[in-house]
Amino acid sequence: MYEHTKALFVQTLPASVAVPVAGGMSGALAWFVSFPLDVVKARIQGQRIDKLTDEKSSMLRTSGVVGQLLKTHGIVGFFSGVAPSLARAFLVSGSRFSAYEFALWTVRKFQPEDSEGETSVS
């Protein structure tokens, strides 16, 4: 997704802006898609430890956590706390893709050309 978004933004914005924005949007979208899985994982990990030793009480498994979330909060429960996570993902991904593009530019700049006048790094 990053490459397509970057190509779209580079047409209208300078590369110094297009790269971090495209990287930020790609990272935020990826985090948004996977966020419900992270909520379920956090709920499983956050269960009380005494449930492990009490024979009458059992820890909820994935399906139990999903059912409980749907029953108590609906679909919205799977996205509880998504806004701060998306803001963080945008900033982190934007800076990572900028660093990646800079590293790629640096390697290309100092890569020796082959016999056909092209560098070997794509």
Side-chain angles (χ1 to χ4, degrees):
M1 172 166 173
Y2 164 71
E3 290 295 334
H4 297 293
T5 309
K6 181 182 84 168
L8 180 68
F9 286 140
V10 165
Q11 295 172 6
T12 57
L13 298 171
S16 61
V17 175
V19 168
V21 169
M25 288 181 67
S26 298
L29 178 63
W31 191 247
F32 181 78
V33 168
S34 66
F35 197 79
L37 298 172
D38 194 60
V39 169
V40 172
K41 175 195 65 106
R43 295 258 178 155
I44 291 170
Q45 290 175 336
Q47 294 182 71
R48 292 177 49 116
I49 197 72
D50 61 353
K51 287 187 176 186
L52 287 173
T53 57
D54 186 2
E55 292 179 15
K56 295 177 184 173
S57 177
S58 62
M59 293 186 63
L60 291 176
R61 297 177 186 246
T62 303
S63 59
V65 169
V66 169
Q68 185 182 53
L69 261 173
L70 283 171
K71 182 190 262 186
T72 58
H73 301 289
I75 295 292
V76 176
F78 290 99
F79 295 94
S80 177
V82 74
S85 294
L86 290 183
R88 177 193 167 281
F90 184 90
L91 295 172
V92 169
S93 297
S95 62
R96 284 185 180 168
F97 277 101
S98 295
Y100 166 77
E101 290 288 345
F102 177 75
L104 196 59
W105 174 82
T106 303
V107 168
R108 286 180 178 156
K109 183 176 178 178
F110 296 108
Q111 183 75 23
E113 294 181 0
D114 63 11
S115 59
E116 297 175 6
E118 297 181 8
T119 60
S120 60
V121 175
S122 301

